Amino acid sequence: MLNAGSSSQKSCVYDLPETHLPTTAPPPLWECAVDWSHHAGVAELKIQTQDGAVLEESIPTQKPLDSMAHVLECLWQGKTKVMNDLKEISVVGHRVVHGGTQYQDSVFVNTAVKAAIADLARFAPLHNPSNLEGIEAIEQVLGNIPQVAVFDTAFHRTLPLAATLYPGLYAWYQQGIQRYGFHGISHQYCAQRAAQLMGRDLKHLRLIVCHLGNGCSLCAIGNGQSIDTTMGFTPLDGLMMGTRSGAIDPSIIIYLLRNEGYTPEAVEKLLNRESGLKGISGLSSDMRQIEAAISEGNTQAQLAFDLFIHRLRSSIGAMLATLGGLDALVFTGGIGEHSSSVRDAACCGFDFLGLKLDGLKNEAHPIDQDIAAPDSTIRIFAIHTQEDWAITKECWQLITQSSRDKL
């Protein structure tokens, strides 16, 4: 499994039975996390095996996936190897951010699928190119092994038209200009996990999942389906993010082009790579560094935090209206899982609904736990998103169905 994001990359190897899937995610045999957000031109690797072997190192890299060959070599070499034969890997799954309107389910990768991923990079310029590089890197290292594309947009195929269309021209929709939504793999997994933790049928729950990381989005889930989400035509829309602005007045772009000498390329770079937490704080896109600066009295870092929370609360309110009520609020992603201050600040704006956070539980580094106070009318969860496991399940189901079809 390969999950290439805008600031990190994760690889996992699972050993699955042929006849059934476990109800909860098993530990991977081997996993590798790569982070290139801390130092320019450097990839920080951490590799762990199920038996406890750990390798941490930094390697020079010009592009995020330059490190892929090195990562794959570690599967078979050194103290973190878990395989001696390439044939032990039967399928590789990939998170692909944008699947457009043509891919509403996971598919085996072929030439046409790769061409579509490349074409859709115009809608997801920070992600689809990296997703495609990962597919091609596997081809180069492992040869003609089956690969599966699992699309972030697929879960949002159930959005109603009123949430899908933009209030411009109807012709836009006919041209494919619409809300697609992203982080669907994470939103779907966390909704299923929340229902499992509650002992409830997902189809009978109203949930808001807050995926907060370098990229941020909310999803309103009713009857087990996505009915609204904050990201739109591209992953740039919606919430304030690490380096992305989120939703802004469109006239700002027109103003920059007309009056400030910006080119379209410069505007794209500004909104995707230089805005958000990084742009407002002037320090970093990393919430951990923002919070550290706040503790030292940095007022600009505090402003970045306050703006992040303001827009988060506003969007949660919009999702509440769409759902007409709420059974559980879920936090996930790097910020959502690890920042107790973000969870606390987000929740305190909804005291009037009877939503109450348990302060001690919130501060105790919760993982897959209900952190709401006992008398809260709405449950609150911090859930470790496991996109890798969700992708692996999609691969297993496709491989299993393919084997049945051949019988």
Side-chain angles (χ1 to χ4, degrees), residues 158-224:
T158 55
L159 289 174
L161 279 179
T164 299
L165 270 66
Y166 285 104
L169 302 176
Y170 183 76
W172 287 2
Y173 177 59
Q174 297 171 313
Q175 296 164 8
I177 300 174
Q178 64 178 66
R179 183 177 303 280
Y180 290 99
F182 301 91
H183 290 147
I185 300 168
S186 176
H187 287 306
Q188 184 174 29
Y189 171 83
C190 289
Q192 293 169 346
R193 183 63 175 141
Q196 188 179 49
L197 292 170
M198 296 173 75
R200 300 272 303 276
D201 187 337
L202 178 58
K203 292 182 179 179
H204 300 148
L205 292 173
R206 296 166 297 179
L207 306 174
I208 296 175
V209 178
C210 308
H211 181 110
L212 309 176
N214 192 58
C216 300
S217 71
L218 303 185
C219 183
I221 298 170
N223 300 317

Side-chain angles (χ1 to χ4, degrees), residues 320-337:
L320 276 167
T322 298
L323 286 168
L326 188 63
D327 296 301
L329 179 65
V330 178
F331 292 95
T332 192
I335 297 173
E337 294 174 32

Side-chain angles (χ1 to χ4, degrees), residues 382-394:
I383 292 179
H384 172 52
T385 188
Q386 300 207 54
E387 293 170 301
D388 50 347
W389 174 240
I391 293 168
T392 300
K393 289 196 297 181
E394 290 289 311

Side-chain angles (χ1 to χ4, degrees), residues 114-189:
K114 289 197 295 181
I117 294 171
D119 178 62
L120 290 165
R122 56 200 164 100
F123 300 150
L126 294 184
H127 299 87
N128 270 37
S130 293
N131 304 152
L132 185 57
E133 283 183 35
I135 291 170
E136 293 174 341
I138 293 295
E139 289 177 344
Q140 293 171 11
V141 177
L142 301 183
N144 191 30
I145 189 170
Q147 298 192 69
V148 172
V150 183
F151 298 96
D152 247 347
T153 47
F155 180 57
H156 301 296
R157 66 186 181 275
T158 55
L159 289 174
L161 279 179
T164 299
L165 270 66
Y166 285 104
L169 302 176
Y170 183 76
W172 287 2
Y173 177 59
Q174 297 171 313
Q175 296 164 8
I177 300 174
Q178 64 178 66
R179 183 177 303 280
Y180 290 99
F182 301 91
H183 290 147
I185 300 168
S186 176
H187 287 306
Q188 184 174 29
Y189 171 83

Side-chain angles (χ1 to χ4, degrees), residues 280-283 289-290 292-304:
I280 298 300
S281 72
L283 294 173
Q289 296 183 33
I290 299 294
I294 291 172
S295 69
E296 297 172 355
N298 187 307
T299 57
Q300 200 166 325
Q302 183 68 62
L303 177 61

Side-chain angles (χ1 to χ4, degrees), residues 106-120:
S106 301
V107 296
F108 285 110
V109 174
N110 56 28
T111 301
V113 171
K114 289 197 295 181
I117 294 171
D119 178 62
L120 290 165

